[in-house]
């Protein structure tokens, strides 16, 4: 009976245990399959999104290259023709006074005849404006013959088109026609020429090139750029032409230039599959492909590719990557699942064995338990007292805890220990703490730890240990010796705290102190430190370095139009492009706003070559930043201005280098932006002088150093009918400072506002005096108004206040405005002018004919006078075109009911020409230079 009871108990326990194990194993397997399917779907989607992004980037770059083909070509041929014009003009200026024209013409043609460029295709040609060939290096037998009736295969007259283009303004004299291809002499191709008129001999000088040659150049440049494009570990971009030839295969360059029939069978099948997808409209496709560097017999890789067609060039673009690059997560999950299954099977086996052992032991053990109960009582009591003493120390803390004996063998661990290290109690017990050794500490470290424990009975400090997963982590470890009442060490209790988060917080604090939080680039503090290191490195290696200041052009427009969030995205993208444009050991930093700084090291020891290297990097940055960026659905094209300063040793101060690079950058902005400028000491001196002049001008306004001079304006009988008020600066040290020196400075610094207000107030005071003096009460006074003054919201109120305070007659005040000033905001200008016109104030349009004002706005402006610019007056006697312009201005003024006055009249001959063309009011040195009011009526 006891034996049957034992067998039944063990059997029942085994059935229940196996049923529970089968159920939990089945449920775990089902959950794992569902998780694997979801992960695989997400990985595939991420792969497609990555390929799509890279494809869009590649297509955008090709479109950018294609569209800029003709622009690049135009700039190149303009540079060549401008150089030829300089050569011709130099020869003419030097030889014409001493030689007959025929000899000078011969010198010019022979100087230009051997010139070749554009890979030998380009040459200079000269034709006279009657259609005869003067210089034709490729067919000298035609020189001296007439070519006025030459046509291309479309019927265009070539020579006539070139002659017409020569009359166009400089920089616009282009003409497109067709001409025989050098490689296929019987076929014609589109050709673009640029010509300029050489007036001394009535020639046109020009050059040209074939458009398909430049498009081929852009294609090669695009292929070179795409060749270097990589994403992920195996991602790349491939190209196939319309015939199926492989143009670009970064993973296997040996295939480039081959047709499918010339390729191995595997690559031929893959290429044909890609072409089929492209012909079907493009899309995703999978295929087998050898892995880079794979040996013969190794299994093939499976790749996913996105295929599309770039129609303008007839290319098929392929972005591809190996599937297993993004499948590492799936493999990790699979390995973890397999490891978990093994562990579960082991646990299941242990559970079954334990259940059987428990049943058998329960049956046999119960009978022996009572017999051994009292025998074991004393031993268990001693063990319980020892456990209580250990628990009192070890488990009063919630940190990770493990207990060892005097030999260092782990006896117990708590749950926090398992959570921190990953080792379960079964895995840790019986091992030594060397189980977690990271290898980062040497023998001296552990010897010092043991000595402290032996001497003081405890040790605490920071230590690096290894988790079960192999990850190294920092921890704070405290070791305490457990002693008996007699002082004998029986155990060691170790308490450990994972300080990974604290370390990460410290690292984040350090990163915030030295890096820009938006772009993750070094900030000013780290930049200055690296710049100092670069100075010492250049000194030590006898090399040159460069400091570059980069400022994004018109960045404020992006912030204002798209918002600061999009502006931040643009800054991050520009930072990434700058980093990609330099080497790894160079530094790219952000100072703030839209300003970036780059430090280049290891340039050539020769300054001129170092400058070339720095300029090459800067041009690369200009191109990188000029590529379009899509922000919130808008395509934004950015440019930048770059200032560069070179340095060679640590004698240069970092503050001076930063200042000099900044000055060069602003010089680049003043030169039209989207360009590079190197620091020039003369530039620094000019800035220092400008700062000093600005301070002196502020002092001049405060101390009354400014004077108002008056230049008379006379009628046809020579009577003074008015004057123009012109400000002069009597500097205590510099003497009389020219207005051209301080007026632009006042415009830039904003001092033009108090300066203009002083001129207006002083002029109105003088006008009020004249109103009370017999013979002068009819005089008018013209006052120049700046753009800043006109844009002020209270400009009308300022003028009316000056008239009211001084008592000057408003109808005798005439405000002079320039054409360019009115173009900024014509509607606002018309409103303010009309308001003042209603009070009697007159307006004169200064420098008329030199700007670009619209006749429609001119009709709306409440003007009373047009002022002919002195540039037309100076050429009036010698240039019939200047006479025609003056006559046109006078006619226009008459039709609009406006008066006309000419400035800059210096000779009686000029005065007579003006009178014959209808202009009878003049101003200039012929009648008097600007001077004090006392000299005006003498």
């Amino acid at each position: 009976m006891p034996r049957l009871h034992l067998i039944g108990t063990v059997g029942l326990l085994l059935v229940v245990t196996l049923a529970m194990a089968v159920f939990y194993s089945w449920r775990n397997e089902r959950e794992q399959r569902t998780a694997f399917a979801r992960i695989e779907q997400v990985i595939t989607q991420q792969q497609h999104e990555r390929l799509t992004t890279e494809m869009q980037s590649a297509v955008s770059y090709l479109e950018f290259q294609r569209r800029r083909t003709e622009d690049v070509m135009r700039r190149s041929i303009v540079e060549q023709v401008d150089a030829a014009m300089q050569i011709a003009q130099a020869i003419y200026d030097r030889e014409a006074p001493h030689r007959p024209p025929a000899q000078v013409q011969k010198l010019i043609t022979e100087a230009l005849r051997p010139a070749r460029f554009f890979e030998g295709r380009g040459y200079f040609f000269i034709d006279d404006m009657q259609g005869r060939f003067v210089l034709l290096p490729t067919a000298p037998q035609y020189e001296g013959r007439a070519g006025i009736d030459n046509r291309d295969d479309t019927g265009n007259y070539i020579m006539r088109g070139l002659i017409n283009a020569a009359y166009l303004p400089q920089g616009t004299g282009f003409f497109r026609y067709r001409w025989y291809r050098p490689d296929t002499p019987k076929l014609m191709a589109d050709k673009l020429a640029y010509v300029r008129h050489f007036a001394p001999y009535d020639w046109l000088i020009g050059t040209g090139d074939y458009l398909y040659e430049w498009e081929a150049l852009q294609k090669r440049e695009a292929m070179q750029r795409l060749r270097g494009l990589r994403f992920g570990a195996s991602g790349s971009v491939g190209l196939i032409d319309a015939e199926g030839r492989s143009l670009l295969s970064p993973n296997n360059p040996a295939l480039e230039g081959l047709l499918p029939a010339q390729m191995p069978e595997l690559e031929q099948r893959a290429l044909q599959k890609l072409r089929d997808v492209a012909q079907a409209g493009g899309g995703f496709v999978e295929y087998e492909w050898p892995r880079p560097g794979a040996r013969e017999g190794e299994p093939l890789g499976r790749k996913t590719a996105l295929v599309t067609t770039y129609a303008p060039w007839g290319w098929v673009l392929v972005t591809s990557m190996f599937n297993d690059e993004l499948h590492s997560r799936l493999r990790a999950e699979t390995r973890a699942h397999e490891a978990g299954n093994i562990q579960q099977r082991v646990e299941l086996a242990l559970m079954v064995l334990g259940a059987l052992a428990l049943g058998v032991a329960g049956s046999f053990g119960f009978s022996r338990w009572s017999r051994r109960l009292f025998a074991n009582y004393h031993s268990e009591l001693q063990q319980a007292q020892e456990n209580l003493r250990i628990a009192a120390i070890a488990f009063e803390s919630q940190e990770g805890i493990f207990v060892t004996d005097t030999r260092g063998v782990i006896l117990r661990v708590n749950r926090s220990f398992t959570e921190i290290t990953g080792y379960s109690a079964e895995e840790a017990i019986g091992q030594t703490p060397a189980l977690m050794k990271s290898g980062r500490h040497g023998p001296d470290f552990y010897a010092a730890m043991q000595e402290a424990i032996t001497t003081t009975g405890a040790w605490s400090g920071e230590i690096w240990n290894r988790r079960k997963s192999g990850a190294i982590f920092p921890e704070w470890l405290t070791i305490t010796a457990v002693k008996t009442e007699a002082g004998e060490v029986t155990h060691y209790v170790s308490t450990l705290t994972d300080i990974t988060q604290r370390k990460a917080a410290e690292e984040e604090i350090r990163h915030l102190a030295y890096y820009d939080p938006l772009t993750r680039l070094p900030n000013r503090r780290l930049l200055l430190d690296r710049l100092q290191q670069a100075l010492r490195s250049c000194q030590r290696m006898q090399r040159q370095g460069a400091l570059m200041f980069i400022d994004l052009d018109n960045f404020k427009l992006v912030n204002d139009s798209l918002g600061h969030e999009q502006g931040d995205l643009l800054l991050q993208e520009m930072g990434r492009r700058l980093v990609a444009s330099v080497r790894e050991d160079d530094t790219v930093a952000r100072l703030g706003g839209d300003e970036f700084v780059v430090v280049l090291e290891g340039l050539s020891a020769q300054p001129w070559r170092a400058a070339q290297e720095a300029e090459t990097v800067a041009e690369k940055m200009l191109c990188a930043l000029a590529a379009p960026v899509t922000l919130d659905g808008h395509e934004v094209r950015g440019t930048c201005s770059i200032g560069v300063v070179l340095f060679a040793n640590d004698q240069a101060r970092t503050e001076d280098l930063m200042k000099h690079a900044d000055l060069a950058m602003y010089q680049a902005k003043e030169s039209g932006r989207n360009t590079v400028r190197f620091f020039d000491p003369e530039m620094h001196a000019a800035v220092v002088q400008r700062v000093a002049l600005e301070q002196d001008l502020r002092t001049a306004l405060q101390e009354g150093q400014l004077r108002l001079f008056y230049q008379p304006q006379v009628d046809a009988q020579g009577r003074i009918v008015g004057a123009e008020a012109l400000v002069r600066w009597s500097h205590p040290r510099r003497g009389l400072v020219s207005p051209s020196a301080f007026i632009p400075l006042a415009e830039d610094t904003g001092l033009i506002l108090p300066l203009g207000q002083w001129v207006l107030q002083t002029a109105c005071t003088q006008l009020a005096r004249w109103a009370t003096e017999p013979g002068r009460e009819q005089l008018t006074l013209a006052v120049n108004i700046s753009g800043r003054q006109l844009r002020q919201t209270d400009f009308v109120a300022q003028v009316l206040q000056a008239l009211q305070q001084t008592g000057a007659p408003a109808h005798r005040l005439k405000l002079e405005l320039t054409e360019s000033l009115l173009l900024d905001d014509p509607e606002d200008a018309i409103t303010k002018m009309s308001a003042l016109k209603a009070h009697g104030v007159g307006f004169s349009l200064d420098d008329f004919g030199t700007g670009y004002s619209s006749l429609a706005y001119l009709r709306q402006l409440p003007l009373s006078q047009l002022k002919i610019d002195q540039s037309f007056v100076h050429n009036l006697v010698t240039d019939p075109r200047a006479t025609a312009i003056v006559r046109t201005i006078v006619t226009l003024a008459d039709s609009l009911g406006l008066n006309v006055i000419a400035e800059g009249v210096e000779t009686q001959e000029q005065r007579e020409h003006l009178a014959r063309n209808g202009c009878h009011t003049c101003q200039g040195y012929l009648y008097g230079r600007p001077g004090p009011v006392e000299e005006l009526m003498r």
Side-chain angles (χ1 to χ4, degrees):
M1 190 68 182
R3 182 176 299 175
L4 292 176
H5 180 269
L6 176 62
I7 293 174
T9 302
V10 172
L12 180 61
L13 182 63
L14 180 60
V15 169
V16 173
T17 303
L18 288 176
M20 292 179 64
V22 170
F23 171 76
Y24 285 109
S25 296
W26 170 80
R27 189 176 68 175
N28 182 65
E29 187 70 23
R30 187 183 63 178
E31 292 175 352
Q32 290 290 344
R33 285 198 298 268
T34 303
F36 288 162
R38 185 174 60 255
I39 293 173
E40 186 172 9
Q41 182 180 5
V42 171
I43 289 174
T44 302
Q45 182 180 357
Q46 291 176 349
Q47 185 182 40
H48 285 186
E49 290 174 352
R50 183 67 181 273
L51 293 174
T52 301
T53 300
E54 297 299 334
M55 176 63 75
Q56 291 172 349
S57 176
V59 172
S60 297
Y61 174 71
L62 292 180
E63 188 65 14
F64 167 74
Q65 284 292 97
R66 185 182 68 82
R67 291 183 176 181
R68 69 191 289 262
T69 299
E70 187 166 333
D71 292 338
V72 173
M73 178 179 178
R74 283 174 177 259
R75 287 196 299 269
S76 299
I77 61 177
V78 166
E79 291 174 357
Q80 296 295 338
V81 173
D82 289 346
M85 287 290 292
Q86 292 176 0
I87 294 173
Q89 189 65 46
I91 295 174
Y92 176 81
D93 293 341
R94 186 182 67 246
E95 302 297 337
H98 314 293
R99 296 175 182 267
Q103 293 184 9
V104 178
Q105 293 174 0
K106 183 68 173 178
L107 290 173
I108 294 174
T109 56
E110 294 307 312
L112 298 181
R113 184 183 299 277
R116 293 293 184 272
F117 39 88
F118 301 154
E119 301 179 346
R121 302 185 308 274
Y123 57 88
F124 296 117
F125 60 81
I126 301 177
D127 303 322
D128 64 21
M129 300 305 283
Q130 289 72 44
R132 287 188 298 274
F133 296 107
V134 177
L135 172 63
L136 190 59
T138 58
Q141 65 272 19
Y142 291 105
E143 294 178 3
R145 299 182 183 180
I148 194 69
D149 293 324
N150 282 0
R151 299 188 187 186
D152 60 15
D153 57 0
T154 64
N156 287 333
Y157 286 95
I158 300 176
M159 181 69 77
R160 297 178 186 182
L162 293 174
I163 293 172
N164 292 334
Y167 284 116
L168 296 177
Q170 183 176 345
T172 62
F174 295 95
F175 177 64
R176 187 192 301 266
Y177 60 97
R178 294 176 57 80
W179 197 244
Y180 295 102
R181 295 173 54 138
D183 54 347
T184 311
K186 294 183 178 181
L187 295 178
M188 286 189 174
D190 288 341
K191 190 171 185 179
L192 182 67
Y194 173 72
V195 295
R196 285 183 57 186
H197 183 222
F198 186 63
Y201 294 129
D202 201 24
W203 284 351
L204 62 85
I205 300 179
T207 187
D209 202 0
Y210 295 91
L211 287 170
Y212 74 87
E213 293 285 356
W214 289 84
E215 185 172 78
L217 177 64
Q218 295 299 100
K219 287 182 179 180
R220 291 196 295 273
E221 182 179 342
M223 290 174 60
Q224 189 64 24
R225 171 70 177 273
L226 295 179
R227 183 184 299 280
L229 181 61
R230 293 289 191 275
F231 50 93
S234 63
S236 62
V237 179
L239 292 176
I240 306 171
D241 67 9
E243 299 175 358
R245 180 180 286 105
S246 175
L247 299 179
L248 178 62
S249 179
N251 290 333
N252 191 355
L255 299 178
E256 293 179 2
L258 300 182
L259 291 169
Q262 300 171 316
M263 298 181 184
E265 182 178 357
L266 174 65
E267 286 81 355
Q268 184 177 354
R269 289 199 306 269
L271 193 66
Q272 186 60 44
K273 181 180 288 189
L274 295 174
R275 293 185 65 197
D276 292 343
V277 173
Q279 292 173 357
F284 293 96
V285 62
E286 289 190 6
Y287 59 95
E288 292 183 339
W289 193 260
R291 297 181 181 277
R295 299 176 182 175
E296 185 174 357
E298 291 187 2
L300 300 174
R302 190 71 177 170
K303 297 188 77 173
T304 296
L306 175 59
V307 183
T308 189
T309 300
Y310 184 66
W313 287 351
W315 284 356
V316 175
L317 272 74
V318 182
T319 54
S320 63
M321 62 192 306
F322 284 98
N323 292 348
D324 55 2
E325 178 179 341
L326 295 179
H327 290 182
S328 59
R329 179 180 173 186
L330 183 60
R331 291 195 296 271
E333 290 289 340
T334 303
R335 289 195 296 270
H337 176 59
E338 293 172 353
N341 286 340
I342 294 174
Q343 183 177 355
Q344 288 176 359
R345 294 188 187 100
V346 171
E347 291 174 353
L348 179 61
L350 291 175
M351 184 174 64
V352 172
L353 293 175
L356 292 173
L358 181 63
V360 175
S363 299
F364 286 102
F366 182 78
S367 63
R368 304 180 63 181
W369 170 76
S370 58
R371 189 169 60 244
R372 298 172 57 187
L373 179 62
F374 291 98
N376 293 332
Y377 176 77
H378 184 68
S379 175
E380 291 175 354
L381 181 60
Q382 288 181 339
Q383 183 68 34
Q385 290 175 345
E386 183 178 359
N387 289 342
L388 288 174
R389 187 171 65 252
I390 294 172
I393 298 175
F395 291 96
E396 64 185 12
S397 171
Q398 297 300 316
E399 304 299 332
I401 299 172
F402 64 95
V403 181
T404 68
D405 60 15
T406 55
R407 295 174 301 168
V409 177
I410 299 175
L411 303 177
R412 295 182 63 182
V413 298
N414 68 350
R415 184 178 300 173
S416 296
F417 173 87
T418 300
E419 293 175 352
I420 294 174
T421 66
Y423 291 102
S424 64
E426 291 80 3
E427 294 171 327
I429 293 174
Q431 302 288 336
T432 66
L435 177 70
M436 300 174 288
K437 193 173 183 179
S438 67
R440 290 195 178 187
H441 303 289
D444 294 342
F445 176 82
Y446 293 105
M449 177 193 296
Q450 186 61 44
E451 182 180 356
I453 296 172
T454 303
T455 304
T456 65
W459 179 89
S460 63
E462 188 177 299
I463 186 172
W464 289 89
N465 271 341
R466 185 186 303 273
R467 305 186 201 272
K468 179 182 178 181
S469 64
I472 306 298
F473 72 102
E475 68 178 34
W476 185 264
L477 179 64
T478 301
I479 304 176
T480 304
V482 180
K483 300 181 181 180
T484 64
E485 294 179 356
E488 181 183 358
V489 177
T490 60
H491 299 83
Y492 294 102
V493 177
S494 300
T495 303
L496 58 94
T497 303
D498 188 348
I499 59 174
T500 301
Q501 293 183 351
R502 192 184 79 185
K503 284 285 188 181
E506 293 174 354
E507 176 61 23
E508 181 65 18
I509 292 173
R510 189 193 73 82
H511 197 278
L512 290 174
Y514 291 100
Y515 290 86
D516 172 49
L518 178 62
T519 62
R520 315 301 288 179
L521 296 175
N523 60 12
R524 178 183 288 273
R525 179 184 295 180
L526 184 55
L527 168 67
L528 294 177
D529 178 69
R530 291 189 180 178
L531 179 56
Q532 194 62 48
Q533 294 179 18
L535 291 171
R536 290 192 292 268
S537 174
C538 289
Q539 172 74 20
R540 183 175 62 256
M541 300 177 63
Q542 297 297 308
R543 307 281 289 183
Q544 293 270 340
L547 180 67
M548 298 180 172
F549 259 50
I550 301 106
D551 186 86
L552 303 183
D553 299 330
N554 301 318
F555 175 73
K556 183 177 183 297
L557 181 60
V558 176
N559 270 344
D560 293 344
S561 59
L562 301 181
H564 289 275
E565 181 179 353
Q566 299 302 319
D568 290 346
L569 293 177
L570 179 61
L571 290 174
Q572 292 171 346
E573 176 62 20
M574 295 298 104
R576 287 191 288 268
R577 293 184 181 184
L578 288 175
V579 171
S581 300
V582 299
R583 302 164 298 184
E584 281 190 22
D585 53 352
D586 295 326
T587 296
V588 179
R590 178 178 177 238
L591 294 186
D594 58 351
E595 290 187 339
F596 295 85
V597 177
V598 174
V599 179
L600 302 180
E601 300 183 49
L603 301 180
S604 173
Q606 300 175 342
W608 64 271
R609 189 175 295 277
Q612 286 183 339
E613 296 171 352
E615 186 176 15
T616 300
V617 175
E619 293 291 344
K620 184 178 179 182
M621 292 177 183
L622 290 176
C623 292
L625 269 60
V629 180
T630 301
L631 297 175
D632 194 21
H634 300 275
E635 185 177 274
V636 177
R637 295 180 180 271
T639 61
C640 67
S641 300
I642 303 178
V644 186
V645 61
L646 299 178
F647 56 83
N649 52 54
D650 58 359
Q651 300 300 315
R653 296 172 62 239
T654 56
E655 296 84 356
D656 292 340
L657 292 177
M658 297 281 284
K659 186 191 305 180
H660 294 165
D662 196 27
L663 289 174
M665 183 269 291
Y666 277 105
Q667 183 67 26
K669 281 194 173 295
E670 293 177 0
S671 300
R673 305 188 180 188
N674 194 27
T675 188
V676 182
R677 287 293 181 269
F678 282 76
F679 171 74
D680 184 354
E682 294 182 2
M683 179 197 310
H684 179 62
V687 171
V688 172
Q689 183 180 4
R690 177 187 175 91
V691 171
L693 188 62
E694 178 185 349
Q695 185 57 44
D696 288 350
L697 183 56
R698 294 183 186 275
T699 303
L701 286 168
Q702 296 171 358
E703 298 182 355
Q705 297 176 8
L706 300 177
R707 300 288 183 270
L708 206 58
F709 280 16
Y710 302 86
Q711 187 173 30
Q713 297 176 341
V714 301
D715 60 10
Q717 289 73 37
R719 294 190 302 262
I720 297 178
V721 295
E724 181 179 2
L726 302 169
V727 66
R728 295 293 185 266
W729 180 9
S730 180
H731 195 284
R733 296 187 310 277
R734 305 171 186 259
L736 198 61
V737 180
S738 170
S740 62
F742 70 86
I743 293 297
L745 175 63
E747 289 276 5
D748 294 341
T749 60
L751 292 176
I752 194 67
L753 296 177
L755 175 60
Q757 186 61 30
W758 177 85
V759 170
L760 181 62
Q761 192 77 21
T762 306
C764 287
T765 301
Q766 183 60 52
L767 197 58
R769 290 199 195 99
W770 285 345
T772 62
E773 298 176 3
R776 300 183 181 179
E777 65 276 3
Q778 299 299 321
L779 295 180
T780 61
L781 187 55
V783 177
N784 290 284
I785 299 298
S786 73
R788 281 179 177 262
Q789 286 178 277
L790 185 62
R791 285 191 292 270
Q792 286 186 292
T793 56
D794 60 343
F795 171 71
V796 174
Q798 290 181 12
V799 176
L800 296 179
Q801 183 180 10
L803 291 170
Q804 183 180 5
Q805 289 178 350
T806 60
H811 64 285
R812 295 300 175 187
L813 176 63
K814 183 167 56 180
L815 302 182
E816 289 196 0
L817 309 173
T818 62
E819 290 186 67
S820 58
L821 185 153
L822 297 174
L823 290 176
D824 293 340
D825 190 351
E827 298 296 339
D828 181 64
I830 291 172
T831 300
K832 292 175 180 177
M833 293 170 64
S834 299
L836 291 174
K837 183 76 171 182
H839 288 81
V841 178
F843 289 93
S844 176
L845 189 57
D846 196 8
D847 300 336
F848 184 74
T850 61
Y852 303 94
S853 61
S854 167
L855 292 179
Y857 279 120
L858 184 63
R859 180 177 54 81
Q860 299 176 33
L861 292 172
L863 297 171
S864 57
Q865 185 181 74
L866 296 181
K867 196 168 192 177
I868 301 174
D869 185 66
Q870 60 183 352
S871 60
F872 301 127
V873 176
H874 289 169
N875 299 323
L876 194 60
V877 178
T878 59
D879 188 355
R881 289 176 293 185
T883 302
I885 292 174
V886 169
R887 187 183 305 113
T888 301
I889 293 174
V890 172
T891 302
L892 178 63
D894 289 342
S895 64
L896 295 175
L898 304 178
N899 296 323
V900 181
I901 183 172
E903 64 177 352
V905 180
E906 299 180 355
T907 66
Q908 184 62 34
E909 193 173 7
Q910 293 172 348
R911 175 69 181 90
E912 293 172 355
H913 272 73
L914 287 168
R916 283 197 298 269
N917 287 281
C919 179
H920 303 288
T921 306
C922 300
Q923 173 184 343
Y925 288 171
L926 179 62
Y927 305 102
R929 294 177 177 272
V933 68
E934 294 80 13
E935 298 179 3
L936 180 65
M937 303 304 293
R938 291 182 181 176

